[in-house]
């Protein structure tokens, strides 16, 4: 595949990308869709400014979490009424872990892998604290996860595509194994939704969560989403029993009664401005065919790795992403002892990727707005930086708050 025969080439113009920037960080903060700014203006001026509180009904604010959730469901192979857009990924991990624990009484372990995205692990540890240690947060090495699913594991918490390396787990196979051993599974799809084809239905998945601001292009701090298989929904009494998840929030009664269906997993008032932006990002992705997105993502990665091979040999980069495309999401990552300074030199030359401690340069591949020419140019610029040791400057070693 080249830029000339790229079926997704038309999508680039649907994003407001700055001139001269090669953006390889859409896995961390997706780019701005052109439609979003107008939508935000309309939501603020017409719906909020003019409509005021009547917009909860008249502009459909009240049903936005379900409406957008149903759209996200189509991206991850879930059914209508199985996904809702709400809260942050972190909060949703808490909600689903406590839900899973309640469905699997008699078992007390939450199992995950060491090196998982920190917030997932911190939430496990928080639940251990909250329960006075009666629930155990257990981490094992990534390769040991499957054998560690013993008869005390209530719930397995895994990220399908690893945030640093891009290593992708087989969601269907691991879910089936968890079920065989009597455990439930919560999947974190933060680096999967909108990046790789996902079929939660076919995998008979129990629960999933994901971010809105990465491959869904929902904007900084966009609302996240959660998925609960329909068969589990009515059996869970949410631990975060907020009024928006009540059966009749506007009855204002003292007793909590959960809403039926996915709505019970809401907590407080939905952030309407954030949801409006998220919906634009999701709508745009729904226009693209996920199989085409995946095919282009792999072609971009293949080109990136081919161009990087000489730099690995000459300048000490080590590929930390799986070489096998079946085991890789939509990013490539390299380790280098001077990774931080090298990334700052790249960003100074308007090639934007990111750095993950201790030594990883991450390059996100977002097929809707990246061209093959961008990949060629990015690696050329990196080669120049390395040939001239242009990264070796004190200002490139100063760590910013966000890396
Ligand atoms: C980005 C990411 C998160 C982020 O959680 P927030 O609550 O949005 O900060 C969680 N899990 C994974 C795997 C991620 O990659």
């Amino acid at each position: 595949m080249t830029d000339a025969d790229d079926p997704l080439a038309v999508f680039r113009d649907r994003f407001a990308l700055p001139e001269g920037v090669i953006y390889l960080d859409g896995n961390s903060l997706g780019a701005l869709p052109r439609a979003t700014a107008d939508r935000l203006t309309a939501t603020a001026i017409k719906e909020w400014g003019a409509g005021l509180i009547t917009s909860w009904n008249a502009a459909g604010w009240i049903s936005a979490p379900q409406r957008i959730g149903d759209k996200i469901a189509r991206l991850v192979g879930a059914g209508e009424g199985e996904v809702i857009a709400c809260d942050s990924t972190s909060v949703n991990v808490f909600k689903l872990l406590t839900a899973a624990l309640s469905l699997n009484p008699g078992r007390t372990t939450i199992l995950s892998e060491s090196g998982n995205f920190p917030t997932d692990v911190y939430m496990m540890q928080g639940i251990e604290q909250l329960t006075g240690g009666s629930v155990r947060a257990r981490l094992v090495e990534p390769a040991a996860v499957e054998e560690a699913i013993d008869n005390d594991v209530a719930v397995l918490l895994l990220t399908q595509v690893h945030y640093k390396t891009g290593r992708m787990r087989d969601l269907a196979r691991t879910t089936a194994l968890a079920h065989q051993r009597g455990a439930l599974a919560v999947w974190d799809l933060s680096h999967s939704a909108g990046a790789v084809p996902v079929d939660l239905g076919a995998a008979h998945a129990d629960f999933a969560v994901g971010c809105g601001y990465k491959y869904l292009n929902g904007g900084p701090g966009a609302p996240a989403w959660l998925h609960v298989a329909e068969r589990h929904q009515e059996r869970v009494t949410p631990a975060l029993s907020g009024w928006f998840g009540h059966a009749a929030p506007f009855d204002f009664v003292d007793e909590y009664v959960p809403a039926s269906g996915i709505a019970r997993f809401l907590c407080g008032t939905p952030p309407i401005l954030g949801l409006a932006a998220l919906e634009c990002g999701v709508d745009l992705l729904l226009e693209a065919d996920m199989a085409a997105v995946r095919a282009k993502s792999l072609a971009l990665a293949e080109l990136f790795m081919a161009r990087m091979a000489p730099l690995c040999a000459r300048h000490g980069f080590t590929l930390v992403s799986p070489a096998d495309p079946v085991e890789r999401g939509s990013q490539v990552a390299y380790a280098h002892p001077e990774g931080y300074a090298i990334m700052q030199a790249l960003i100074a030359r308007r090639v934007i990727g990111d750095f993950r401690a201790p030594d990883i340069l991450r390059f996100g591949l977002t097929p809707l707005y990246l061209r093959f020419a961008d990949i060629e140019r990015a690696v050329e610029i990196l080669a120049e930086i390395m040939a001239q040791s242009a990264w070796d400057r004190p200002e490139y070693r100063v760590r910013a708050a966000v890396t």
Side-chain angles (χ1 to χ4, degrees):
M1 196 187 298
T2 64
D3 286 322
D5 62 4
D6 169 9
L8 299 175
V10 291
F11 282 96
R12 180 177 169 85
D13 201 38
R14 308 281 298 279
F15 290 87
L17 292 161
E19 265 306 303
V21 166
I22 299 178
Y23 194 55
L24 300 173
D25 218 353
N27 56 330
S28 205
L29 174 64
L32 170 68
R34 286 194 193 280
T36 305
D38 284 348
R39 171 75 185 273
L40 282 175
T41 303
T43 305
I45 307 278
K46 287 193 198 134
E47 297 181 7
W48 176 16
L52 292 166
I53 203 165
T54 67
S55 287
W56 279 106
N57 294 312
W61 288 355
I62 193 70
S63 52
Q66 284 91 335
R67 182 177 72 241
I68 299 166
D70 280 338
K71 291 181 180 187
I72 294 169
R74 288 158 55 196
L75 292 172
V76 293
E80 285 235 329
E82 289 191 316
V83 175
I84 196 155
C86 59
D87 300 308
S88 65
T89 306
S90 303
V91 171
N92 290 338
V93 165
F94 179 90
K95 290 195 260 186
L96 296 191
L97 286 178
T98 49
L101 285 164
S102 75
L103 293 183
N104 214 349
R107 293 183 173 217
T108 63
T109 299
I110 306 172
L111 176 67
S112 190
E113 63 178 17
S114 52
N116 194 354
F117 191 88
T119 209
D120 298 52
V121 175
Y122 301 161
M123 284 295 158
M124 292 167 59
Q125 293 166 355
I127 292 169
E128 186 177 84
Q129 275 280 320
L130 180 70
T131 60
S134 67
V135 168
R136 201 161 65 105
R138 180 174 175 217
L139 296 180
V140 297
E141 288 295 309
V145 164
E146 296 193 353
E147 68 191 79
I149 310 173
D150 60 26
N151 59 15
D152 192 54
V153 174
V155 51
L156 178 63
L157 172 64
L158 287 176
T159 302
Q160 189 194 14
V161 176
H162 194 269
Y163 75 104
K164 265 194 212 175
T165 63
R167 184 211 61 216
M168 182 160 66
R169 287 186 174 275
D170 185 334
L171 187 152
R173 201 176 57 83
T174 309
T175 301
L177 185 72
H179 289 172
Q180 248 173 46
R181 307 227 179 123
L184 294 162
V186 174
W187 285 98
D188 188 329
L189 302 183
S190 290
H191 287 269
S192 307
V196 297
V198 178
D199 196 338
L200 290 173
H204 213 58
D206 303 296
F207 303 99
V209 295
C211 277
Y213 50 81
K214 292 171 177 164
Y215 294 88
L216 301 187
N217 304 310
W225 56 273
L226 66 81
H227 155 273
V228 179
E230 194 188 353
R231 65 184 180 280
H232 293 320
Q233 291 176 4
E234 303 296 320
R235 301 170 54 220
V236 172
T237 303
L240 294 186
S241 41
W243 75 303
F244 259 74
H246 193 277
F250 289 88
D251 282 359
F252 296 102
V253 294
D254 281 342
E255 193 199 346
Y256 176 74
V257 180
S260 66
I262 195 74
R264 71 178 56 189
F265 295 94
L266 286 177
C267 188
T269 308
I272 295 303
L273 296 172
L275 286 167
L278 175 62
E279 190 163 29
C280 293
V282 172
D283 281 342
L284 188 47
L285 255 169
L286 283 171
E287 287 183 42
D289 169 34
M290 271 316 292
V293 169
R294 176 64 172 162
K296 182 175 171 187
S297 158
L298 291 181
L300 290 167
E302 194 182 331
L303 177 65
F304 198 102
M305 293 188 295
R307 294 296 183 264
M308 280 296 290
L311 277 85
C312 292
R314 205 171 306 142
H315 295 296
F317 291 95
T318 310
L319 178 69
V320 294
S321 299
D324 182 351
V326 173
E327 294 171 16
R328 193 186 336 111
S330 199
Q331 67 174 63
V332 282
Y334 289 86
H336 192 289
E338 296 294 345
Y340 186 80
I342 293 168
M343 184 53 77
Q344 303 322 301
L346 273 169
I347 294 170
R349 287 159 183 76
R350 314 194 80 199
V351 177
I352 303 179
D354 64 23
F355 172 80
R356 286 294 174 264
D359 61 356
I360 290 184
L361 299 107
R362 271 194 332 177
F363 301 98
L365 303 174
T366 45
L368 295 193
Y369 50 87
L370 275 178
R371 298 167 297 199
F372 292 90
D374 296 324
I375 302 297
E376 302 264 14
R377 187 65 196 133
V379 183
E380 267 169 36
I381 291 170
L382 180 56
E384 285 162 24
I385 290 170
M386 299 313 294
Q388 300 160 5
S389 295
W391 53 268
D392 194 8
R393 295 165 68 120
E395 68 263 34
Y396 293 154
R397 296 185 193 279
V398 179
R399 295 282 171 115
V402 175
T403 62

